[in-house]
């Protein structure tokens, strides 16, 4: 395996090579860059591969420009089984013609004895309508590239035999809590919780699979624009959610982990059943990470023109933002039942003009199914961003504002009450196809009738969020249950979800009688949110 940066790697076997998630160009409004820099690799050679695997359409995994320019169009694309045809359509548009449409959780035998299995996750909250993991076997050696996917458990992979290398995400990949308008101390405390939770989740997966070797991948990105520089984990801030591979290695050692391997871009890991040999493009990994700040500063200077060029392309003063948002969003609001009900209130966008001072406030009113000017009412969420960014989203007809605006971290946010996942699910579904899929998915969520005992409590077995098995992921501390898959918390006496609106948990004290007719109907109702 050759490390090629972030979530990207190339797997070479005698039966063929697989290039995974090659990402080089900045993503999300030129906010995210791969760390360490991978732009100097010999991409002509790396892109000359037999198979291409793109795990999902997030822009730090799907780099259209790079795929078009460097990856062989003779490569066969290993396609995850996603609910929409977007990935195939995008890759076809880039010139790829050979596709293997895999079936989720089914092993496919390729030429020469190479076997692969792709597990596709398809809830509206998994990536941009879908994320996936790739399992590979050749000559008795097995690799799981879990990537940044969050399967509820790893049973399917475990059943295929011992895994020799487990590659997975350990760092942050979201805007929370940095963009929230909160006092610094609160932000730091939330960041620390999040950072700890990320490590806990990673350790849980590692422990589930018990692979011979663990390779931390899929993050962190680095932020090279001066406006975002503070998000890099180089200031000793324990609330920073973007720890790097070296920090992971140290945290992992604290819980007894000794089998991790860090891959830099250009590192090569040779795996056999009982050994792993690694070569690196630097003399000392420790020195490399000790000089991280220097690496980033140099990279910042090199990439400055790229960022400036991107910024120069965002303004489209000819666009009437309110009118265009109405045209694009109101028909989708009309169709939306579950997501609109889940959001349950108005969401406000404060758009800061080119002068850096004037503000136009536009409200997406979910109950009234309208987009209009703000009318001084209470709103559920308020986002503040540059008008130029919204102009650009409208100009390019972006259907996924999570995979563009929100992941860019180029905004600030405030909200009343809890996190509301439906807000983000809606803004990643700004197309008929995606919206219908998401609505159908929520419609099909059935109550989960099975109960389990956790500590002194009887609770439903499956997490009301995304159905993680709470026998594995649930931790009870006093009256609070935490599901470690995404760290959501539930108040056990009331069943209330403490992390997000809706998502109520069925719970009672062990020994207390089950309420009549308690078959999970509460959980089913909660899926659509309580507004
Ligand atoms: S499945 Fe996401 S927190 Fe439980």
């Amino acid at each position: 395996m050759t490390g090629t940066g972030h979530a990207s790697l190339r797997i070479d076997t005698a039966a063929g090579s697989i290039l995974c998630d090659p990402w080089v160009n900045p993503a999300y409004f030129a906010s995210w860059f791969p760390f360490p820099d991978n732009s100097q690799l010999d991409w002509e050679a790396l892109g000359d591969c037999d198979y291409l695997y793109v795990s999902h359409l997030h822009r730090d995994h799907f780099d259209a420009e790079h795929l078009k320019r460097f990856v062989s169009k003779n490569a066969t694309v290993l396609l995850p089984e996603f609910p929409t045809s977007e990935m195939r359509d995008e890759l076809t548009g880039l010139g790829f013609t050979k596709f293997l449409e895999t079936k989720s959780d089914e092993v496919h035998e390729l030429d020469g004895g190479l076997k692969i299995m792709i597990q596709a996750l398809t809830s509206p909250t998994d990536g941009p309508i879908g994320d996936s993991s790739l399992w590979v076997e050749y000559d008795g050696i097995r690799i799981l590239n879990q990537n940044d996917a969050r399967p509820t458990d790893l049973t399917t992979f475990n059943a295929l035999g011992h895994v020799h290398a487990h590659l997975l995400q350990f760092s942050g990949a979201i805007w929370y809590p940095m963009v929230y308008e909160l006092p610094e101390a609160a932000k730091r405390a939330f960041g620390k919780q999040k950072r700890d939770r990320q490590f806990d989740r990673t350790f849980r997966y590692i422990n589930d699979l018990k692979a011979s070797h663990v390779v931390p991948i899929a993050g962190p990105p680095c932020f090279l624009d001066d406006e975002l520089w503070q998000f890099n984990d180089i200031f000793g801030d324990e609330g920073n959610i973007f720890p790097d591979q070296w920090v992971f290695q140290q945290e992992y050692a604290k819980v007894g982990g000794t089998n991790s391997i860090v891959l830099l871009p250009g590192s090569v890991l040779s795996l056999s059943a009982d050994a792993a040999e690694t070569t690196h493009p630097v003399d000392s990994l420790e020195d490399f990470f000790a000089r991280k700040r220097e690496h980033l500063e140099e990279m910042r200077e090199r990439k400055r023109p790229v960022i400036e060029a991107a910024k120069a392309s965002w303004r489209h003063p000819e666009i009437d933002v309110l009118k265009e948002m109405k045209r694009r969003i109101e028909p989708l609001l009309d169709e939306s039942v579950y997501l609109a009900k889940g959001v349950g209130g108005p969401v406000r966008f404060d758009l800061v003009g080119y002068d850096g001072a004037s503000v136009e406030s536009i409200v997406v009113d979910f109950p009234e199914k309208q987009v209009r000017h703000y009318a001084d009412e209470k709103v559920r969420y308020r986002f503040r961003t540059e008008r130029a960014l919204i102009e650009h989203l409208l100009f390019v007809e972006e259907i996924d504002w999570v995979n563009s605006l929100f992941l860019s971290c180029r905004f600030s946010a405030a909200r009343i009450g809890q996190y509301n996942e439906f807000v983000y699910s809606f803004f990643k579904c700004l197309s008929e196809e995606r919206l219908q899929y998401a609505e159908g998915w929520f419609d099909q969520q059935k109550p989960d009738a099975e109960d389990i005992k956790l500590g002194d409590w009887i609770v439903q077995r499956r997490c009301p969020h995304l159905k993680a098995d709470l026998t594995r992921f649930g931790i009870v501390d006093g009256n609070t249950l935490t599901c470690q898959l995404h760290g959501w918390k539930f108040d056990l006496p009331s069943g209330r979800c403490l992390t997000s609106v809706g998502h109520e948990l069925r719970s009672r004290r062990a020994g207390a009688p089950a309420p009549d007719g308690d078959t999970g109907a509460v959980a089913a109702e909660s899926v659509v949110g309580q507004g």
Side-chain angles (χ1 to χ4, degrees):
M1 278 187 279
T2 305
T4 47
H6 197 66
S8 173
L9 70 147
R10 179 175 151 133
I11 303 166
D12 280 280
T13 73
S17 54
I18 309 174
L19 181 63
C20 306
D21 285 348
W23 170 48
V24 175
N25 295 295
Y28 315 123
F29 285 109
S31 294
W32 291 35
F33 286 78
F35 168 79
D37 191 3
N38 61 356
S39 56
Q40 340 277 4
L41 294 177
D42 182 356
W43 281 106
E44 296 283 357
L46 291 165
D48 185 15
C49 55
D50 300 302
Y51 301 98
L52 168 71
Y53 165 66
V54 180
S55 59
H56 60 300
L57 283 170
H58 271 160
R59 301 295 166 186
D60 54 319
H61 299 256
F62 177 86
D63 180 347
E65 199 183 322
H66 192 71
L67 289 168
K68 185 168 186 181
R69 176 150 175 223
F70 288 105
V71 180
S72 164
K73 301 306 170 292
N74 284 324
T76 300
V77 179
L78 305 173
L79 268 185
E81 188 181 20
F82 285 146
T84 72
S85 61
E86 282 175 54
M87 182 176 287
R88 184 175 178 137
D89 297 345
E90 294 253 11
L91 288 165
T92 302
L94 297 176
F96 291 92
T97 56
K98 298 182 189 170
F99 294 93
L100 173 64
E101 305 242 7
T102 64
K103 289 264 168 247
S104 187
D105 289 337
E106 273 184 26
V107 175
H108 297 260
E109 192 145 346
L110 310 178
D111 290 344
L114 183 61
K115 291 181 190 168
I116 59 130
M117 181 175 85
I118 298 177
Q119 180 175 73
L121 303 182
T122 56
S123 97
T125 49
D126 286 311
I129 311 275
D131 198 349
S132 68
S133 304
L134 170 72
W135 173 95
V136 179
E137 181 186 290
Y138 179 71
D139 200 19
I141 305 297
R142 297 179 201 92
I143 298 167
L144 175 62
N145 174 9
Q146 186 183 331
N147 210 297
D148 61 2
R150 312 255 181 96
T152 50
D153 59 56
L154 300 177
T155 317
T156 320
F157 303 108
N158 260 325
L160 298 172
H162 178 75
V163 169
H164 300 87
H166 182 188
L167 300 91
L168 78 169
Q169 188 187 41
F170 62 96
S171 195
I174 193 137
W175 51 88
Y176 174 86
M178 306 88 71
V179 305
Y180 275 91
E181 296 166 15
L182 289 168
E184 275 313 308
K187 216 186 269 194
R188 191 165 314 118
F190 289 135
K192 176 157 175 18
Q193 271 174 19
K194 167 112 182 63
R195 183 173 165 123
D196 292 347
R197 222 164 59 204
Q198 292 167 181
F199 284 131
D200 289 346
R201 180 179 58 231
T202 310
F203 301 151
R204 173 64 56 135
Y205 278 129
I206 291 172
N207 197 38
D208 251 16
L209 198 65
K210 297 188 174 50
S212 311
H213 306 282
V214 168
V215 184
I217 61 158
C222 59
F223 301 89
L224 303 179
D225 188 356
D226 294 334
E227 291 171 33
L228 307 168
W229 182 249
Q230 70 276 11
F231 296 152
N232 295 303
D233 190 18
I234 50 176
F235 303 101
D237 172 8
E238 57 177 9
N240 185 298
I241 69 157
F242 298 111
D244 62 38
Q245 300 84 332
W246 199 249
V247 175
F248 165 81
Q249 188 138 292
Q250 286 157 350
E251 291 299 315
Y252 186 42
K254 286 184 197 162
V255 296
T258 54
N259 60 342
S260 70
I261 297 174
V262 170
L263 295 183
L264 298 181
S267 297
V268 177
L269 164 61
S270 305
L271 262 187
S272 64
D274 43 23
E277 281 173 27
T278 316
T279 60
H280 298 291
V282 296
D283 293 335
S284 155
L285 286 178
E286 191 168 2
D287 280 1
F288 176 82
F289 284 98
R291 291 178 40 242
K292 175 178 179 179
R293 191 188 188 117
E294 219 177 290
H295 177 85
L296 291 180
E297 282 169 351
E298 282 167 17
M299 202 173 163
R300 174 168 63 173
E301 290 318 308
R302 279 201 306 280
K303 304 293 182 187
R304 212 179 274 285
V306 178
I307 297 171
E308 291 312 318
K311 284 185 169 179
S313 70
W314 298 338
R315 291 184 182 184
H316 301 282
E318 71 283 4
I319 289 181
D320 179 334
V321 172
L322 175 61
K323 196 167 148 210
E324 199 50 25
M325 281 179 69
K326 263 178 113 53
R327 186 182 73 76
R328 296 270 325 274
I329 294 176
E330 281 188 353
L332 299 170
L333 287 174
D334 271 342
E335 282 174 33
S336 178
V337 178
Y338 292 95
L339 294 179
K341 189 175 171 197
V343 177
V347 172
R348 168 176 154 192
F349 287 84
D350 285 350
L351 308 181
V352 182
Y354 302 162
D355 58 5
S358 60
V359 173
E360 180 181 9
S361 288
I362 291 174
V363 158
V364 179
D365 187 335
F366 285 84
E368 295 301 321
K369 314 237 171 198
Q370 263 185 5
V371 178
R372 55 175 169 76
H373 271 128
Y374 175 58
D376 227 14
E377 73 268 54
K378 275 214 162 78
V379 294
R380 181 128 299 176
Y381 267 74
R382 175 170 58 69
F383 299 113
R384 184 182 177 91
T385 190
E386 284 176 49
R387 182 190 165 92
L389 300 189
I390 304 292
E391 287 173 354
H392 189 69
L393 295 177
L394 296 168
F395 180 78
V396 300
E397 309 218 325
E398 177 60 66
I399 61 167
D400 187 337
W401 288 19
V402 170
N403 197 8
S404 48
L405 173 68
F406 292 113
L407 280 167
S408 80
C409 303
R410 293 184 185 274
F411 69 104
S412 67
R415 67 177 191 236
I416 297 174
Q418 291 167 301
Y419 167 66
N420 186 314
E421 190 165 63
F422 300 102
V423 170
Y424 299 109
S425 293
F426 181 82
F427 283 104
K428 71 160 78 159
C429 289
L430 299 180
S431 75
E432 179 80 26
E433 188 186 30
R434 282 200 184 184
L435 187 84
Q436 284 305 318
Y437 176 71
E439 291 286 328
W441 193 89
F442 284 113
D443 189 42
Q444 279 172 12
Q445 293 310 291
K446 296 281 182 285
D448 181 347
E450 188 184 349
D451 284 337
I452 54 164
K453 184 162 182 292
L454 269 186
D456 295 337
W457 295 87
I458 305 290
V459 300
Q460 68 190 64
R461 176 166 185 164
R462 295 279 169 183
C463 176
H465 178 217
L466 287 178
K467 299 197 180 301
D469 185 345
L470 293 172
T471 59
R472 287 161 170 266
F473 285 91
I475 301 250
V476 170
D477 182 11
N479 282 344
T480 305
L481 179 144
T482 303
C483 170
Q484 287 191 310
L485 190 54
H486 306 95
W488 285 32
K489 290 186 188 303
F490 301 86
D491 177 56
L492 285 161
S494 66
R496 200 164 69 84
C497 176
L498 301 171
T499 307
S500 176
V501 178
H503 302 88
E504 201 167 323
L505 176 86
R506 185 171 69 251
S507 62
R508 65 189 150 88
R509 262 189 203 286
D516 284 349
D518 186 354
T519 58
V522 174
E525 177 64 18
S526 74
V527 166
V528 298
Q530 307 297 315

